[in-house]
Amino acid sequence: MTSPLVKDRIYRSPQALAGGVLLLGIIGWLGIDALIRGNGRTPWLALALMILIVPLVVAFTLRPAVFAGDDRLRIRNPFRVITLPWGEIEVLRSGYSNEVIVTSGAKYQLWAIPVSLRGRKRAAGRQAKAQARAASDARRGRTEPSGGGYGGFGGFGLGGGASRGLHEPAEASGPARAVTDKVMDDLRETLENRAKAESAQGEITVRWAYEVAAPAIAGAVLLAILLATG
């Protein structure tokens, strides 16, 4: 009996997708308007620009994705698709960009998982607020009466229980992290678990995305011809 296939986890940038759709809408609106209403060489120039720009917008916004499976990591960047068996990956590094470094020393950038410095700043702010709140709760707990009697709910243990309840979720969730940093943590965990698996060994393959580059080059050539003969 064969085990069911496990689908790859797919990571993409929602902001890039939204920005790409918006840009394509603007380009289509302006370009089609120029094709219909333009005079003289304007429609041809608009056509050349659309052939040049549309593939580039798709390449840098809609196309990038990272596919994480049990045996390999597949990186779809603007102009390349890199397939990396987990056994060939040395480290997943995060700095001003998220990168994969393989055992040969080659480095590949994860376009679909951009580093958000703003997200890191917000996560650090949330962490600082949580720590300040925890410290304030701890001080308040120490100043409340702990003996019995009718002098407050602390005498019946409700104060202590409420204090622990406030602290436990913060401790259970761990330190605040930016979304892309959490994604990298997930990939590092997979690397640690699968790097030595027999099925996760193999060769690194790199395929160029000619389906993206060819239209852009054709548009650039057409635009150059139009400008040169104008």
Side-chain angles (χ1 to χ4, degrees):
M1 180 178 178
T2 59
S3 58
L5 294 176
V6 178
K7 292 184 178 180
D8 292 350
R9 302 189 306 279
I10 304 174
Y11 301 99
R12 308 183 78 173
S13 171
Q15 293 85 353
L17 293 174
V21 171
L22 179 61
L23 284 174
L24 289 176
I26 294 173
I27 293 169
W29 172 43
L30 296 177
I32 293 173
D33 182 73
L35 288 173
I36 295 174
R37 301 184 181 184
N39 298 319
R41 291 158 45 87
T42 301
W44 286 102
L45 289 171
L47 179 62
L49 282 171
M50 289 178 67
I51 296 174
L52 170 63
I53 296 175
V54 168
L56 295 179
V57 171
V58 171
F60 285 96
T61 59
L62 305 184
R63 177 179 168 80
V66 172
F67 303 84
D70 284 343
D71 297 332
R72 55 191 48 83
L73 182 71
R74 186 159 59 95
I75 305 168
R76 193 170 70 192
N77 280 346
F79 299 108
R80 293 192 296 178
V81 177
I82 306 107
T83 302
L84 306 170
W86 289 111
E88 291 295 319
I89 298 177
E90 185 72 25
V91 66
L92 289 154
R93 187 171 65 185
S94 296
Y96 289 102
S97 64
N98 289 315
E99 302 167 337
V100 178
I101 300 176
V102 298
T103 53
S104 64
K107 180 172 62 177
Y108 303 100
Q109 187 173 349
L110 302 177
W111 280 81
I113 311 176
V115 168
S116 173
L117 298 179
R118 184 178 179 183
R120 286 179 177 175
K121 185 176 180 180
R122 278 196 299 221
R126 289 197 302 269
Q127 181 68 15
K129 288 180 180 179
Q131 291 174 348
R133 191 180 305 116
S136 175
D137 291 341
R139 287 194 300 270
R140 225 172 20 239
R142 285 196 299 269
T143 58
E144 286 178 356
S146 57
Y150 303 97
F153 293 109
F156 297 96
L158 296 180
S163 178
R164 286 195 297 271
L166 287 173
H167 295 322
E168 285 170 0
E171 293 172 359
S173 60
R177 302 273 284 162
V179 174
T180 53
D181 289 338
K182 291 179 181 178
V183 170
M184 293 299 289
D185 290 342
D186 185 29
L187 294 178
R188 290 189 187 99
E189 182 180 357
T190 304
L191 173 62
E192 182 179 354
N193 294 334
R194 298 294 301 169
K196 298 186 182 301
E198 184 178 352
S199 59
Q201 311 304 314
E203 295 183 357
I204 297 172
T205 61
V206 179
R207 182 181 69 83
W208 288 93
Y210 296 106
E211 67 276 12
V212 174
I217 293 172
V221 171
L222 178 58
L223 181 62
I225 292 173
L226 291 171
L227 293 176
T229 59

Coordinates of all heavy atoms in Angstrom, one line a residue, residues 186-222:
D186 N 10.5 27.9 9.8 CA 9.8 26.7 9.3 C 10.7 25.9 8.3 O 10.8 24.7 8.4 CB 8.4 27.0 8.7 CG 7.6 25.8 8.3 OD1 7.8 24.8 9.0 OD2 6.8 25.9 7.3
L187 N 11.3 26.6 7.4 CA 12.2 26.0 6.4 C 13.4 25.4 7.1 O 13.9 24.3 6.7 CB 12.6 27.0 5.4 CG 11.4 27.5 4.5 CD1 12.0 28.6 3.5 CD2 10.8 26.4 3.7
R188 N 13.9 26.1 8.1 CA 15.1 25.6 8.8 C 14.8 24.3 9.6 O 15.6 23.4 9.6 CB 15.7 26.6 9.8 CG 16.3 27.8 9.1 CD 17.0 28.7 10.1 NE 17.5 30.0 9.5 CZ 16.8 31.1 9.6 NH1 15.7 31.2 10.2 NH2 17.3 32.2 9.0
E189 N 13.6 24.2 10.1 CA 13.1 23.0 10.8 C 13.0 21.9 9.8 O 13.5 20.7 10.2 CB 11.8 23.3 11.5 CG 11.3 22.1 12.3 CD 10.0 22.4 13.0 OE1 9.5 23.5 12.9 OE2 9.4 21.4 13.6
T190 N 12.5 22.1 8.7 CA 12.4 21.1 7.6 C 13.8 20.6 7.2 O 14.1 19.4 7.0 CB 11.6 21.6 6.4 OG1 10.3 22.0 6.8 CG2 11.4 20.5 5.4
L191 N 14.7 21.6 7.0 CA 16.1 21.2 6.7 C 16.7 20.4 7.7 O 17.4 19.3 7.4 CB 16.9 22.5 6.5 CG 18.4 22.4 6.3 CD1 18.7 21.6 5.0 CD2 19.1 23.7 6.2
E192 N 16.5 20.7 9.0 CA 17.1 19.9 10.1 C 16.6 18.5 10.1 O 17.3 17.5 10.3 CB 16.9 20.6 11.4 CG 17.5 19.9 12.6 CD 17.2 20.7 13.9 OE1 16.7 21.8 13.8 OE2 17.6 20.1 15.0
N193 N 15.3 18.4 9.8 CA 14.6 17.0 9.9 C 14.9 16.2 8.7 O 14.9 14.9 8.7 CB 13.1 17.2 10.1 CG 12.8 17.8 11.4 OD1 13.5 17.7 12.4 ND2 11.6 18.5 11.5
R194 N 15.1 16.8 7.5 CA 15.2 16.0 6.2 C 16.5 16.0 5.6 O 16.7 15.3 4.6 CB 14.2 16.6 5.2 CG 12.7 16.6 5.7 CD 12.2 15.2 5.8 NE 12.3 14.5 4.5 CZ 12.2 13.2 4.4 NH1 11.9 12.4 5.4 NH2 12.3 12.6 3.2
A195 N 17.5 16.7 6.1 CA 18.8 16.9 5.4 C 19.5 15.5 5.2 O 20.2 15.3 4.2 CB 19.7 17.8 6.1
K196 N 19.4 14.6 6.1 CA 20.0 13.3 6.1 C 19.2 12.2 5.5 O 19.7 11.1 5.4 CB 20.6 12.9 7.5 CG 21.6 13.9 8.0 CD 22.1 13.4 9.3 CE 23.1 14.5 9.9 NZ 24.2 14.8 9.0
A197 N 18.0 12.5 5.1 CA 17.1 11.5 4.5 C 17.6 11.0 3.2 O 18.1 11.8 2.4 CB 15.7 12.0 4.4
E198 N 17.5 9.7 2.9 CA 18.1 9.2 1.6 C 17.4 9.8 0.4 O 18.0 10.0 -0.6 CB 17.9 7.6 1.7 CG 18.5 7.0 0.4 CD 18.4 5.5 0.5 OE1 17.9 4.9 1.6 OE2 18.7 4.8 -0.5
S199 N 16.0 10.0 0.5 CA 15.3 10.5 -0.6 C 15.5 12.0 -0.8 O 15.1 12.6 -1.8 CB 13.8 10.3 -0.4 OG 13.4 10.9 0.8
A200 N 16.2 12.7 0.2 CA 16.5 14.1 0.0 C 17.9 14.4 -0.5 O 18.4 15.5 -0.3 CB 16.2 14.8 1.4
Q201 N 18.5 13.4 -1.1 CA 19.8 13.6 -1.7 C 19.7 13.7 -3.2 O 18.7 13.4 -3.8 CB 20.7 12.4 -1.3 CG 20.8 12.1 0.1 CD 21.1 13.2 1.0 OE1 22.1 14.0 0.8 NE2 20.4 13.4 2.1
G202 N 20.7 14.3 -3.9 CA 20.6 14.4 -5.3 C 21.4 15.6 -5.8 O 22.2 16.2 -5.1
E203 N 21.1 16.0 -7.1 CA 21.9 17.1 -7.7 C 21.0 18.3 -7.7 O 19.8 18.3 -7.8 CB 22.3 16.7 -9.1 CG 23.3 15.6 -9.2 CD 23.7 15.3 -10.6 OE1 23.2 15.9 -11.5 OE2 24.6 14.4 -10.8
I204 N 21.7 19.4 -7.7 CA 21.0 20.7 -7.8 C 20.7 21.0 -9.3 O 21.6 20.8 -10.1 CB 21.8 21.9 -7.2 CG1 22.0 21.6 -5.7 CG2 21.2 23.2 -7.5 CD1 23.0 22.6 -5.1
T205 N 19.5 21.4 -9.6 CA 19.2 21.8 -11.0 C 18.8 23.2 -11.1 O 18.1 23.7 -10.2 CB 18.1 20.9 -11.6 OG1 16.9 21.0 -10.8 CG2 18.5 19.4 -11.6
V206 N 19.2 23.9 -12.2 CA 18.8 25.3 -12.4 C 18.3 25.4 -13.8 O 19.0 25.0 -14.8 CB 20.0 26.3 -12.2 CG1 19.6 27.7 -12.5 CG2 20.6 26.1 -10.8
R207 N 17.1 25.9 -13.9 CA 16.5 26.1 -15.3 C 16.1 27.6 -15.5 O 15.5 28.2 -14.6 CB 15.2 25.2 -15.4 CG 14.5 25.3 -16.7 CD 13.2 24.5 -16.8 NE 12.2 25.1 -16.0 CZ 11.4 26.1 -16.4 NH1 11.5 26.6 -17.6 NH2 10.4 26.5 -15.6
W208 N 16.6 28.1 -16.6 CA 16.3 29.5 -16.9 C 14.8 29.6 -17.5 O 14.4 28.7 -18.2 CB 17.3 30.0 -17.9 CG 18.6 30.3 -17.3 CD1 19.7 29.4 -17.3 CD2 19.0 31.4 -16.6 NE1 20.7 29.9 -16.6 CE2 20.4 31.2 -16.2 CE3 18.4 32.7 -16.3 CZ2 21.1 32.1 -15.5 CZ3 19.2 33.6 -15.6 CH2 20.5 33.3 -15.2
A209 N 14.1 30.7 -17.1 CA 12.7 30.9 -17.5 C 12.7 31.6 -18.8 O 12.5 32.9 -18.9 CB 12.0 31.6 -16.4
Y210 N 12.9 30.9 -19.9 CA 12.9 31.6 -21.2 C 11.5 32.1 -21.6 O 11.4 33.0 -22.4 CB 13.4 30.6 -22.3 CG 14.9 30.1 -22.1 CD1 15.2 28.9 -21.6 CD2 15.9 31.0 -22.4 CE1 16.5 28.5 -21.4 CE2 17.2 30.7 -22.2 CZ 17.5 29.4 -21.7 OH 18.8 29.0 -21.5
E211 N 10.5 31.5 -21.0 CA 9.1 31.9 -21.3 C 8.9 33.3 -20.8 O 7.9 34.0 -21.2 CB 8.1 30.9 -20.7 CG 8.1 30.9 -19.2 CD 9.1 29.9 -18.6 OE1 10.0 29.5 -19.3 OE2 8.9 29.7 -17.4
V212 N 9.7 33.8 -19.9 CA 9.6 35.1 -19.3 C 10.6 36.1 -20.1 O 10.2 37.2 -20.5 CB 9.9 35.2 -17.8 CG1 9.9 36.6 -17.3 CG2 8.8 34.4 -17.1
A213 N 11.8 35.6 -20.3 CA 12.8 36.4 -20.9 C 12.6 36.7 -22.3 O 12.8 37.8 -22.8 CB 14.2 35.8 -20.7
A214 N 12.1 35.7 -23.1 CA 11.9 35.9 -24.5 C 10.9 37.0 -24.9 O 11.3 37.8 -25.7 CB 11.5 34.5 -25.2
P215 N 9.7 37.0 -24.3 CA 8.8 38.2 -24.7 C 9.4 39.5 -24.3 O 9.3 40.5 -25.0 CB 7.6 37.9 -23.9 CG 7.6 36.4 -23.6 CD 9.1 36.1 -23.4
A216 N 10.1 39.6 -23.1 CA 10.7 40.9 -22.7 C 11.8 41.3 -23.7 O 11.9 42.5 -24.1 CB 11.3 40.8 -21.3
I217 N 12.6 40.4 -24.2 CA 13.6 40.7 -25.2 C 13.0 41.1 -26.5 O 13.4 42.1 -27.1 CB 14.6 39.5 -25.4 CG1 15.4 39.2 -24.1 CG2 15.5 39.7 -26.5 CD1 16.2 38.0 -24.1
A218 N 11.9 40.4 -26.9 CA 11.2 40.8 -28.1 C 10.7 42.2 -28.0 O 10.8 43.0 -29.0 CB 10.1 39.8 -28.4
G219 N 10.1 42.5 -26.9 CA 9.5 43.9 -26.7 C 10.6 44.9 -26.7 O 10.5 46.0 -27.3
A220 N 11.8 44.6 -26.1 CA 12.9 45.6 -26.1 C 13.4 45.8 -27.5 O 13.8 46.9 -27.9 CB 14.0 45.1 -25.2
V221 N 13.6 44.7 -28.3 CA 14.0 44.8 -29.7 C 13.1 45.7 -30.5 O 13.5 46.6 -31.3 CB 14.3 43.4 -30.3 CG1 14.5 43.5 -31.8 CG2 15.4 42.7 -29.6
L222 N 11.8 45.4 -30.4 CA 10.8 46.1 -31.2 C 10.8 47.6 -30.8 O 10.7 48.5 -31.6 CB 9.4 45.5 -30.9 CG 8.2 46.3 -31.6 CD1 8.4 46.3 -33.1 CD2 6.9 45.6 -31.2

